[in-house]
């Protein structure tokens, strides 16, 4: 998209939403949307009240009663169709993501591609909701497990991946026979309208019940309805650790299930044998890409002291070539931060880092784009830190890469694991045993551990999520579907006798 006037931008949004199949009003509502690209307000759309949200849960709960009876491969047709529509409207939805999250068009469309990919995976999964059969200890008995839908799944998603993470949850939940009530970030309500409209079309095209998919728009207050309503069997929430601390006990107190994908503080270790040019590219994309606003962003670099100066010089030089600006300009690699709050957090973290002995090697300063005071662009920062400091234990959702050095490999692993979060991790090495140790039980303690690629940009085929304060949940591929189902263990006796297990005698 070329850089346009504000009015042209509004027209682009209307056209993209219309192309996705959104037929509602844009304007006159209470939920103000805006774009971080210019900091300007967009449309004020209709928000959802708590009463309406509760009604949506009721509708989804009612729809569940028949959706769970629909054969899973037929449920798969809905996500198949959704994937087709997403492919057709990749650019339309990508534009909305770009406008609200400030991503380059390549990254924004990449996000929609993640949606298409998970639809493919979930379609296949709809024929593979496998349960096990185990040998029974009793003659003439069959022991097995079957998987059943659980009910309404509440999905709470964040601004930085406004549609992809929603689709990981939704595609899996739908084929598993659950219904979905989605509360997206209020920062990305327009992208949500587009993604939701495409799913509504897919449901209509397949002749299924529209009530299996519901959309709640608004701030955290309205989202809280999902935490407390006992009809919401699973709450899948993506966001800060602070949010997770609130979600988990509230949902647990009513014995609901939760799936959390919270903060990361992802590190890369670079060992003396590493291919430094490859490491450089992996590090710069992971640390500065998406303006440091991925939960998988690389925030810490732990480099062997013998190569630290060489690698750091290369990183600083590469950072100086990064194009920062309005992401509608296709030569731009680093777009805006979400808002002033994100910018202030970054400045505060840099100040603290300096107080704790940090040396800012590049970046941190604001970049004015079009002389606008309303948007917040920054030069991504690299900060050389002493081995021990508190600030590196915190996740700041901005492009700051803290660099530390090590001399002994075990020390590198200890530094790596010394933070409360545990999402993603990487090692750059050509030494096989270092790579294997990093992936072993005494290596990285994260949910994702990579060799010779950065910490971000995971494919949907693997399970996505992390340990410790990241919350322990797993979404997306592998066997993550099991979180959206309940397991039933079944013993069938066809012996005509009634032998008891463990050889117990009775009557
Ligand atoms: C997120 O930032 O919440 O691995 C999700 C990645 C993307 C998903 C990030 N596939 O960076």
């Amino acid at each position: 998209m070329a850089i346009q006037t504000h009015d042209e931008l509004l027209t682009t949004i209307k056209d993209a939403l219309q192309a996705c199949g959104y037929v509602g009003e844009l304007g006159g509502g209470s939920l103000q949307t805006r774009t971080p690209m210019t900091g300007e307000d967009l449309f004020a759309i209709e928000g959802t009240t708590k009463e309406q949200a509760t009604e949506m849960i009721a509708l989804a709960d009612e729809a569940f009663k028949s959706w769970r009876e629909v054969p899973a491969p037929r449920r798969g047709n809905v996500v198949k169709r959704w994937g087709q529509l997403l492919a057709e409207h990749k650019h339309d939805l990508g534009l909305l993501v770009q406008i609200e999250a400030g991503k380059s068009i390549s990254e924004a469309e990449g996000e929609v591609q993640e949606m298409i990919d998970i639809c493919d995976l979930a379609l296949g999964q709809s024929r593979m909701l496998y349960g096990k059969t185990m040998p029974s200890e009793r003659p003439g008995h069959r022991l097995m497990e079957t998987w059943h839908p659980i009910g309404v799944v509440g999905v709470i998603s964040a601004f930085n991946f406004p549609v992809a993470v929603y689709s990981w949850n939704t595609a899996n939940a739908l084929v598993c026979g659950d219904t979905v009530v989605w509360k997206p970030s209020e920062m990305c309500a327009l992208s949500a309208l587009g993604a939701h409209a495409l799913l509504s079309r897919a449901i209509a095209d397949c002749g299924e019940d529209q009530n299996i998919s519901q959309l709640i728009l608004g701030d955290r207050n309205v989202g809280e309805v999902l935490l407390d309503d006992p009809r919401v069997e699973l709450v899948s929430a993506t966001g800060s650790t602070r949010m997770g601390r609130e979600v988990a006990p509230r949902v647990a107190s009513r014995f609901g299930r939760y799936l959390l994908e919270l903060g990361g503080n992802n590190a890369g270790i670079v060992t003396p044998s590493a291919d430094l040019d490859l490491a450089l590219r992996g590090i710069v994309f992971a640390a500065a890409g998406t303006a440091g606003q991925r939960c998988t962003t690389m925030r810490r670099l732990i480099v062997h002291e013998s190569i630290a100066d060489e690698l750091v010089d290369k990183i600083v030089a590469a950072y100086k070539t990064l194009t920062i600006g309005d992401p509608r300009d296709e030569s731009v690699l680093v777009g805006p931060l979400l808002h002033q709050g994100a910018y202030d957090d970054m400045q505060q973290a840099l100040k603290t880092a300096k107080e704790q002995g940090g040396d800012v090697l590049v970046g941190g300063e604001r970049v004015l784009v079009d002389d606008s005071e309303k948007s917040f662009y920054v030069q991504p920062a690299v900060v050389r830190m002493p081995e021990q400091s508190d600030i590196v234990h915190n996740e700041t959702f901005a492009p700051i890469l803290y660099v530390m050095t090590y001399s002994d490999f075990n020390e590198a692993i200890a530094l790596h694991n010394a933070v409360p979060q545990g999402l993603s991790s990487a090692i750059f090495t050509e030494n096989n045993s270092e790579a294997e140790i990093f992936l072993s039980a005494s290596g990285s303690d994260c949910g994702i551990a990579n060799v010779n690629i950065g910490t971000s940009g995971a494919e949907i085929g693997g399970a996505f999520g992390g340990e410790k304060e990241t919350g322990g949940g797993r979404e997306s591929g592998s066997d993550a579907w099991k979180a959206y189902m309940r397991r039933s263990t079944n013993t069938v006796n066809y012996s005509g006798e009634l032998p008891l297990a463990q050889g117990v005698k009775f009557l």
Side-chain angles (χ1 to χ4, degrees), residues 114 158 160-161 165 168 238 261 293-297 397 448 455-459 464:
E114 277 198 48
N160 65 326
F161 270 80
V165 176
W168 301 346
T238 304
E261 204 252 281
Q293 298 172 113
R294 290 191 187 217
C295 53
T296 50
T297 291
F397 224 61
I448 299 170
T455 50
S456 65
E459 302 174 16
F464 185 96

